Amino acid sequence: MDIYFIIFAIMALGGALFTITAKDALPSALGLLTVFIALSALYLHLHAPLIAIFQVTIYAGAILVLVVFVIMLLMTPDEKLEAAQKNMAYRIMGAVLGAYLTALTVVGVKGISELISANELPEGFGHPGLLGDLFFKKYLLHFEMASVLLLVALIAGIYLAKKRI
Amino acid sequence: MGAIMDQYVILSCLLFGIGAIGFLTRRNALILFMSVELMLNAINLMLVSFSHQRADMSGQVMVLFIFAVAAAEVAVGLAILISLFKHIKSVDINKFNLLKW
């Protein structure tokens, strides 16, 4: 385990814990920002420079700004929400279910990771040019479907914002 | 190689679990939203680390598709949240009980 991974893993885990424990939504968004930046550094470590850049521009740039915008729009000062569910059974059940899910995924995915054979990295792995090649040859149909999905989301967003529903 | 893989897989599972716990225990709808983002990011990390292990770049392409889905989800979800807020004047999910009986 190298020091680079440890630093950014601790940063990501700390940010994630802060996200779900912060009392207000705005500090929580800052915790999420920490997670995004740490993950982008980890992507660089995994030879995925384009994903790292997109992580910063799309997630930390676009999505988080939208979330912060809505937080600013919706947070009324007189509404004081408690941090967690008031019902104790909810909290306990949620924590138990989450811990169970984590354990299950760790066990299951570790099994998979042993099955997957490790290949030697080819020359230029993770180069954006190769990624674009894959995008416009092998995954062209999926790419077009993603753009249709974005168009649908765009129309839905405009409709929901405009009409009095 | 295997050791590198395992540490990333465990980190991503932990992030997913933290997101799931946040989703199940918080009551602020915006923080629920951010927990979902956290889970999506955990899956992205896992895909990239599998792609690194297999030396196959298809995993990274899939991550870019997840980016598109996440962007669409945020746009529609926040629009729904705003129009819910217009009616109920709250972001407390316990008050969103239109579909309960």
Side-chain angles (χ1 to χ4, degrees):
Chain A
M1 242 196 258
D2 49 352
I3 192 79
Y4 187 89
F5 173 80
I6 294 174
I7 290 173
F8 287 109
I10 289 173
M11 195 171 148
L13 284 178
L17 283 175
F18 187 70
T19 306
I20 67 161
T21 51
K23 194 157 164 42
D24 280 325
L26 200 57
S28 180
L30 292 182
L32 201 62
L33 179 66
T34 318
V35 178
F36 290 161
I37 302 295
L39 284 187
S40 131
L42 290 178
Y43 291 152
L44 280 180
H45 199 214
L46 286 169
H47 297 96
L50 196 70
I51 305 288
I53 291 171
F54 279 170
Q55 174 83 11
V56 174
T57 54
I58 297 180
Y59 265 110
I63 292 181
L64 205 71
V65 166
L66 198 62
V67 170
V68 169
F69 176 74
V70 172
I71 290 172
M72 297 293 191
L73 202 65
L74 296 192
M75 274 306 170
T76 48
D78 40 289
E79 184 179 25
K80 284 272 176 270
L81 274 184
E82 278 177 51
Q85 291 278 359
K86 212 181 287 174
N87 194 340
M88 205 59 199
Y90 264 36
R91 288 194 215 181
I92 294 170
M93 277 309 287
V96 168
L97 269 175
Y100 176 71
L101 202 60
T102 316
L104 204 68
T105 23
V106 169
V107 172
V109 176
K110 272 204 72 161
I112 294 173
S113 81
E114 278 157 17
L115 288 180
I116 289 178
S117 55
N119 293 346
E120 276 302 308
L121 288 186
E123 188 66 27
F125 177 78
H127 190 272
L130 290 179
L131 203 62
D133 226 35
L134 268 181
F135 245 117
F136 289 106
K137 285 181 184 152
K138 196 173 171 192
Y139 294 101
L140 185 60
L141 180 67
H142 310 69
F143 179 73
E144 298 295 339
M145 278 161 66
S147 47
V148 172
L149 175 76
L150 284 176
L151 179 68
V152 170
L154 179 75
I155 295 170
I158 292 171
Y159 177 80
L160 282 171
K162 204 175 102 185
K163 281 268 167 87
R164 194 109 187 106
I165 298 173
Chain B
M1 185 62 100
I4 285 184
M5 188 64 199
D6 282 352
Q7 66 195 25
Y8 280 101
V9 166
I10 289 172
L11 173 65
S12 114
C13 290
L14 287 177
L15 283 179
F16 189 90
I18 290 173
I21 291 174
F23 187 81
L24 291 169
T25 54
R26 297 302 303 260
R27 53 189 296 198
N28 187 333
L30 288 158
I31 293 179
L32 253 63
F33 219 81
M34 287 188 257
S35 302
V36 175
E37 294 297 320
L38 206 58
M39 288 195 271
L40 278 172
N41 268 282
I43 296 305
N44 281 348
L45 182 63
M46 194 175 284
L47 276 173
V48 172
S49 66
F50 277 138
S51 142
H52 183 264
Q53 167 132 356
R54 291 281 300 152
D56 181 356
M57 284 183 61
S58 300
Q60 299 189 14
V61 175
M62 245 168 262
V63 170
L64 289 177
F65 288 131
I66 293 184
F67 279 176
V69 173
E73 176 235 336
V74 165
V76 176
L78 289 179
I80 290 176
L81 208 59
I82 288 177
S83 63
L84 262 176
F85 188 79
K86 277 184 197 160
H87 285 280
I88 302 178
K89 303 275 178 262
S90 168
V91 288
D92 185 352
I93 50 160
N94 291 340
K95 289 184 185 153
F96 298 163
N97 51 8
L98 284 169
L99 296 180
K100 280 188 198 165
W101 73 86

